[in-house]
Amino acid sequence: MNRPASGSKRHGRGGAAVLAVLTLLTAACGGPSPSPSPTQSAGRYPWHTGIVSTTFWVGEIFDPKAADGSQVMSTYDSQWMQSYGGCDGVVTNGCKTEARTQAKGYAPTSMTPKENPFYLDLPYDDVNDPTAFAERASVIPWANDPGFAGNAQNRSFSYMKNQWVRIRMGNRECYGQIEDAGPGQYHDKDYVFGSNDARPANKKFNGAGMDVSPALNGCLGFSDLDGESDKVDWQFVPRDQVPAGPWLNIVTVSQVK
């Protein structure tokens, strides 16, 4: 989550990315359709409800003076913009966001992504944040699942990167992959993994607990392209429970870079 949510109101979004590099050096959403409430469809992981979500995008620079003020890199990829294929928006005096439509599968209009445009962040950086790294194998629910077990001390491996999240707003439901950490916090385990629907520890950006990409912004029908008022419900979801949709056109599989 290298940054604060909109202008300087954003989060420290991909900012963790920059922080990471510096410290480590080391049903398709194709339109709204009624969906059951969180209590009607619990799933394997708990729901988090009424969470303020802001918007961020690859290539965005909201504060060039801040350690976490650029989405050119993410906490998990020091060359995120290069890996993604460029600015996830339009290049006009910098990399700007743009409205996304169902007609184009919510893809950017001026470039073809190399990675999933349906991305997001949550405030748990399991690679670069010392607290999160030390406890990740014991607090992340899937840490001991096949494909994840045995990597607790592997700093080139993230349990969070590429994980799928199910997001609802009103009668729309969309899916995305975690590709950064934030907003504002980097080891908020009570909110991210708790089962009691805890509020985010972050108090900035209207208390935002998630940043979503322009594709998710459009898919979910956010009221603003880059605001701090939209609220969503979300839960982690296993890959085999992700339904067909534009979020599967390109799936990100790369690990920490």
Side-chain angles (χ1 to χ4, degrees), residues 36-77:
S37 70
T39 54
Q40 291 175 301
S41 178
R44 176 179 176 184
Y45 301 110
W47 278 94
H48 306 264
T49 62
I51 302 300
V52 172
S53 177
T54 59
T55 304
F56 73 149
W57 54 96
V58 178
E60 175 192 15
I61 297 179
F62 69 92
D63 184 354
K65 297 180 180 179
D68 63 354
S70 169
Q71 297 304 139
V72 172
M73 59 179 67
S74 80
T75 197
Y76 303 120
D77 188 343

Side-chain angles (χ1 to χ4, degrees), residues 214-253:
L216 280 167
N217 178 305
C219 182
L220 291 163
F222 275 23
S223 58
D224 295 308
L225 288 180
D226 191 15
E228 298 178 350
S229 62
D230 291 289
K231 293 185 177 181
V232 302
D233 301 331
W234 69 270
Q235 72 173 165
F236 293 114
V237 61
R239 170 64 182 83
D240 61 6
Q241 292 180 21
V242 176
W247 40 80
L248 290 180
N249 290 344
I250 305 172
V251 174
T252 303
V253 297

Side-chain angles (χ1 to χ4, degrees), residues 83-129:
S83 299
Y84 188 78
C87 167
D88 188 17
V90 292
V91 179
T92 306
N93 294 321
C95 177
K96 309 298 183 183
T97 191
E98 61 177 344
R100 300 296 173 84
T101 66
Q102 179 184 348
K104 286 186 61 66
Y106 304 101
T109 59
S110 302
M111 58 89 74
T112 300
K114 296 178 180 179
E115 296 185 336
N116 196 345
F118 289 80
Y119 54 85
L120 64 135
D121 69 14
L122 287 172
Y124 200 86
D125 176 359
D126 74 312
V127 172
N128 302 295
D129 181 271

Side-chain angles (χ1 to χ4, degrees), residues 170-181:
N171 65 347
R172 296 190 179 211
E173 179 173 287
C174 308
Y175 294 74
Q177 290 181 276
I178 297 171
E179 299 301 338
D180 203 355

